Amino acid sequence: MSSLKTLSVFSFLLSVALHCPSVHAATFDITNRCPYTVWAAAVPSGGGRQLNSGETWTISSAPGTTQARIWARTNCQFDGAGRGSCQTGDCNGLLACQGYGSPPNTLAEYAIGQFANQDFIDISNIDGFNVPMEFSSASAGCSRVIKCAADIVGQCPNELKVPGGCNGPCPVFKTEEHCCNSGQCGPTTFSKYFKDRCPDAYSYPKDDATSVFTCPTGTNYKVIFCP
């Protein structure tokens, strides 16, 4: 009798599993349209790999993933063991990143499966800019497209210029005014330089109102370098 009960419970659970929709991991197609090679990076999902011009790398992130970033590294050299360095976006000298990259780097940031079954996505220039980027939905249920493709490096203020990119003011000056460690800050002349050129991207830490966007959980995404 107990075996019949066990079988009955198992059959019920199997039926529930088959008929209830499950939330799948979000996929991210990361494509390099730059006329040069980049070394794409993604944490906590993905790590990193070389992307020649025209190549695409697909990664996935499970619901509940937060504080995630995707970015391009430039002018890298790695040995056969995956150790080396990059001019911009370097992550402790590793091809397969385990932590965030060094400024300057244009960032696609996301959190999957959050409040009210929403994903939160943004492009950030808080850590500066190195490669033009587009971050968009690849699913019919969301039409969001975020883009930052201005000539930020070419017009970069002298105080923020570094080889291969345009640094954010916080990494350069490391002051409360620019880093907002207390949570009380506003836009500055330097953050406005980025905001004027990429109005949909984060330019300073409290720039949420015009810089963070949502898509329903279950959406898949595209990140394009040099859109």
Side-chain angles (χ1 to χ4, degrees):
M1 187 70 175
S2 62
S3 62
L4 289 176
K5 286 183 178 178
T6 301
L7 182 60
S8 178
V9 170
F10 174 80
S11 299
F12 172 76
L13 293 175
L14 179 61
S15 175
V16 170
L18 290 174
H19 291 92
C20 289
S22 59
V23 179
H24 298 286
T27 61
F28 294 77
D29 291 331
I30 304 167
T31 300
N32 179 22
R33 290 188 185 165
C34 301
Y36 48 84
T37 298
V38 301
W39 286 258
V43 294
S45 307
R49 59 158 285 184
Q50 179 175 319
L51 272 186
N52 296 321
S53 184
E55 290 185 335
T56 296
W57 174 38
T58 300
I59 65 170
S60 61
S61 282
T65 300
T66 62
Q67 298 180 316
R69 293 180 173 184
I70 297 169
W71 71 98
R73 295 168 287 174
T74 59
N75 295 324
C76 302
Q77 290 187 332
F78 293 101
D79 61 20
R83 295 187 176 276
S85 64
C86 300
Q87 185 180 51
T88 65
D90 187 76
C91 57
N92 294 317
L94 298 176
L95 173 59
C97 293
Q98 298 175 2
Y100 294 159
S102 300
N105 50 344
T106 319
L107 299 173
E109 301 179 312
Y110 64 89
I112 302 296
Q114 302 301 298
F115 178 75
N117 292 317
Q118 294 289 302
D119 299 343
F120 293 87
I121 63 173
D122 70 79
I123 288 178
S124 176
N125 289 324
I126 293 174
D127 281 351
F129 178 102
N130 65 338
V131 172
M133 177 185 286
E134 179 182 302
F135 188 8
S136 63
S137 164
S139 298
C142 187
S143 59
R144 176 60 58 192
V145 177
I146 316 169
K147 185 182 290 188
C148 182
D151 183 23
I152 288 180
V153 175
Q155 302 171 14
C156 185
N158 288 331
E159 297 93 332
L160 305 180
K161 280 184 178 179
V162 292
C166 185
N167 232 330
C170 176
V172 172
F173 301 112
K174 299 179 174 62
T175 61
E176 174 64 24
E177 177 187 14
H178 298 293
C179 298
C180 201
N181 295 319
S182 68
Q184 301 294 323
C185 66
T188 66
T189 299
F190 290 117
S191 73
K192 289 177 181 177
Y193 168 77
F194 291 96
K195 197 66 175 179
D196 288 346
R197 288 155 181 79
C198 291
D200 289 338
Y202 268 95
S203 60
Y204 72 100
K206 302 302 288 183
D207 201 7
D208 307 86
T210 59
S211 307
V212 64
F213 304 97
T214 61
C215 283
T217 297
T219 300
N220 296 317
Y221 298 94
K222 299 181 293 184
V223 174
I224 300 173
F225 302 130
C226 301

